[in-house]
Amino acid sequence: VSVQDQTTSSVAKGETLEDFIRVMERYADVVVLRHPEKGSVRRVSTKMKKPIINAGDGAGEHPTQALLDVYTIREEIGTVNGLTIALVGDLKNGRTVHSLAELVTLYDVKLKLCAPKGLEMPQDIVDLVKARGIKVTQHEVVDEVMADADVVYVTRLQKERFEEASQYQSLSSYTITPETLLRAKPNMILMHPLPRTGEISEECDLDPRAVYFRQAEHGMYVRMALLVAVLGKA
């Protein structure tokens, strides 16, 4: 059962999200919910009897993306422990990096956070990561994180978050190009949750360190495994 347009559902008539989900769970064994409101999945989960999977809640979290990201790192490098991971881009609104930053605290890693001023990682996430013993440094210049990183994870600079187009265009220095990669380790990997909108040049696609399309494929396998685990058929 797939519902992608709220305007064709009872929500358009004023039905609450909680009631909508409680009806939908009667038709399924598991509910996968993506919603624009931060915290929406956690909120409705308290009303449900069936399993629910968070497929992204606004600028909040994207747990399944984090799972496939860690899987990708392990597949490409062999381990997560001992790595320096750089998160680059809109770390304030990018839900994928919120979940990834929290998940990698289960490993022995160092985190480099690189974002334009005003788009830094939310302080509560930085505090949580540090409290779990992870060394965190914050940067505004991409070149400051490239040389030492084993993983460079780039997330979309969300144009809709800027009041003026000139502000968005001024961030061209955050575009990863082949020239940027000259300063990176020969065995690092370049990741992106996709879709990209210019933050990684298409010329980088030919670099063997660019793994974002393989990363997308891994997402299919990880989510299949998650559904099997949630349904108790593993």
Side-chain angles (χ1 to χ4, degrees), residues 7-37:
T7 63
T8 63
S9 74
S10 295
V11 174
K13 301 175 183 177
E15 184 177 46
T16 66
L17 179 63
E18 288 85 348
D19 283 358
F20 172 72
I21 291 297
R22 291 173 76 178
V23 170
M24 292 304 299
E25 74 171 329
R26 266 51 180 192
Y27 305 151
D29 297 303
V30 60
V31 174
V32 180
L33 177 63
R34 171 169 289 186
H35 195 271
E37 181 186 341

Side-chain angles (χ1 to χ4, degrees), residues 86-89 91 112-117 120 137-149 152 170-176 180 183:
L87 306 180
V88 178
L91 307 187
K112 291 179 177 287
L113 309 177
C114 183
K117 190 172 182 179
E120 298 93 344
T137 57
Q138 300 197 61
H139 310 262
E140 287 186 30
V141 180
V142 172
D143 283 351
E144 292 179 359
V145 304
M146 292 301 296
D148 297 331
V152 175
S170 68
L171 299 174
S172 59
S173 63
Y174 282 81
T175 299
I176 306 298
T180 312
R183 296 182 282 278

Side-chain angles (χ1 to χ4, degrees), residues 64 67-68 71 217-227:
T64 65
L67 289 174
L68 77 90
Y71 178 81
E217 180 183 353
H218 293 157
M220 177 175 61
Y221 307 135
V222 168
R223 288 169 175 132
M224 288 169 63
L226 179 60
L227 284 171

Side-chain angles (χ1 to χ4, degrees), residues 11-93:
V11 174
K13 301 175 183 177
E15 184 177 46
T16 66
L17 179 63
E18 288 85 348
D19 283 358
F20 172 72
I21 291 297
R22 291 173 76 178
V23 170
M24 292 304 299
E25 74 171 329
R26 266 51 180 192
Y27 305 151
D29 297 303
V30 60
V31 174
V32 180
L33 177 63
R34 171 169 289 186
H35 195 271
E37 181 186 341
K38 182 178 178 179
S40 56
V41 180
R42 182 181 297 275
R43 192 180 79 240
V44 300
S45 68
T46 64
K47 308 291 185 181
M48 297 178 60
K49 295 181 179 179
K50 301 281 182 65
I52 184 168
I53 295 173
N54 185 348
D57 61 333
E61 299 282 347
H62 199 342
T64 65
Q65 180 71 45
L67 289 174
L68 77 90
D69 292 338
V70 166
Y71 178 81
T72 298
I73 294 171
R74 291 189 60 175
E75 282 291 295
E76 298 293 335
I77 297 179
T79 184
V80 182
N81 286 314
L83 301 183
T84 295
I85 301 174
L87 306 180
V88 178
D90 182 353
L91 307 187
K92 178 182 179 181
N93 301 297

